[in-house]
Amino acid sequence: MNVLLIGSGGREHALAWKLAQSTLLDELYIAPGNPGTVRHGRNVDIDVKDHRALRQLIIDKRIRMVVVGPETPLVDGLHDRIAADPQLKGVTVIGPGKAGARLEGSKEFAKEFMLRHNIPTAAFRAFGKDQLAEALAHLKHLHAPYVIKADGLAQGKGVVVAADRREAEQALHDMLGGKSLGQAADRVLIEQYLKGIEVSAFLITDGEAFKMLPPAKDYKRIGDGDTGPNTGGMGAVSPVPFADKEFMAKVHDRIAVPTIRGLRSEGIPFQGFLFMGLMNVDGDPYVIEYNVRLGDPETQAILPRLRSDLMDLFEGIATNTLSERHVDVDDRTCAAVVLASEGYPGKYATGKPVVGLPLVQGALVFQSGTAMEGGQLVTNGGRVLSVAAFGKDLEHAILNTYANAALIDFEGKAHRTDIGHDLLRSPAGRTEGAKLDVK
Ligand code: AMP
Ligand code: GLY
């Protein structure tokens, strides 16, 4: 089968790497891809928003399956455009249509959905542009910290966790007043603050059956010790010691099952990945957000652990037979660290030569913000690449990952040095005698 993968980040590089291992794959095309994905398929330089160009590519290359990495094309209706096109009949899209993508595209919709289906989440109230006064008044009934969220897609910048009322009021003024985030903040949610530790859970579904994928922990802040501004994610580990059998059984029963059942009962078709961003509050999972795709960099730590053929799971979606497929997972721990350009998530330079990739041994390198310039790999984004490695336990996975990350260099290379360390401090992740010496 010929497959088209949409996207250009580390997540898509990991997907391309995994799909290329399948005997069920004939040709893999990636639009637009990055210099890392060319090792696993053919990059096609088209604008995925240009439906005519996309449909021509699908027809010309006899593509039978379109795998959508990021959320924006799904929220914009890519799935529906392909499904409605008579010339593209029989093309499977991995990723939901517009209706299902609202779980990510509208936080208010997601919250209302969770309320309808008794899925545990923080209490909330939503306010429109003309309700600034009500929103400000509502704050007075709450205690710090305050959680203020833009309703729409905001590239990870739509949430303000305010330590005091003045900061919360400012956030409401900025969002509802149109100063920050544009249309994404036409509606705003004020949420109850959940105190706990976050974990990312994933499932794959054909709309009827679903299979859980391994959970991962993401490190969203730029600085060690979870300091500084939020980023797309600076590293990930999988599995997560505290997301043990008992916790994951709660995720399955209280969140995954009612979510898939809820989608069905509301007549919302959903095929692809569902990412459940969770807060573990004293051993109980609460949904912070849904995403309708895999995570980046979680994917870079999860897919290396997936022993099963990903194409086989995708074929399960195409033929509505996912219930008959198996998800086989490597028990070992995989850790991924993102090497970023200094300045990210603010301003940063690009075009810096990236060296040392051939030195990496026993680890995977997934590229994201890179480009080829005259035969030289150079930086071309905030998150440049991620390095992922296994270890017999969390400690050794971290050591292997950082040892390999140290071999890669570019001017302004910046990264967190403490990916997974919080989990090492918890007894479930600790190995006696091993020492951690990461730079
Ligand atoms: P989101 O974009 O919804 O994932 O939110 C971004 C970050 O804000 C999350 O990763 C959490 O760290 C934090 N956050 C969001 N909602 C809450 C909440 N209700 N309570 C505490 N922290 C939250
Ligand atoms: N790493 C978080 C995300 O992909 O949204």
Side-chain angles (χ1 to χ4, degrees), residues 107 122 147 149 159 161 191-194 198 220 279 288-289:
K107 289 190 187 281
V147 182
K149 294 190 180 184
V159 179
V161 180
E191 268 188 33
Q192 169 197 13
Y193 178 79
L194 295 175
E198 287 180 65
K220 284 209 177 88
M279 190 72 87
I288 291 188
E289 61 165 355

Side-chain angles (χ1 to χ4, degrees), residues 11 200 218 220 232-233 275 289 291 293-298 383:
R11 166 184 50 212
S200 307
D218 178 20
K220 284 209 177 88
F275 170 158
E289 61 165 355
N291 296 309
R293 51 166 174 86
L294 287 174
D296 189 336
E298 289 96 325
R383 294 191 293 176

Side-chain angles (χ1 to χ4, degrees), residues 7 15 36 129 176 211 233 270-271 299 304 339 352 357 405 411 413:
L15 280 164
K129 271 195 126 37
L176 288 176
K211 303 273 176 186
F270 197 104
Q271 53 186 41
T299 305
L339 304 187
K352 306 295 179 191
L357 255 56
E411 197 184 314
K413 170 183 157 186

Side-chain angles (χ1 to χ4, degrees), residues 420-432:
H421 286 204
D422 56 331
L423 299 174
L424 281 178
R425 285 192 292 270
S426 84
R430 179 93 206 154
T431 308
E432 286 308 316

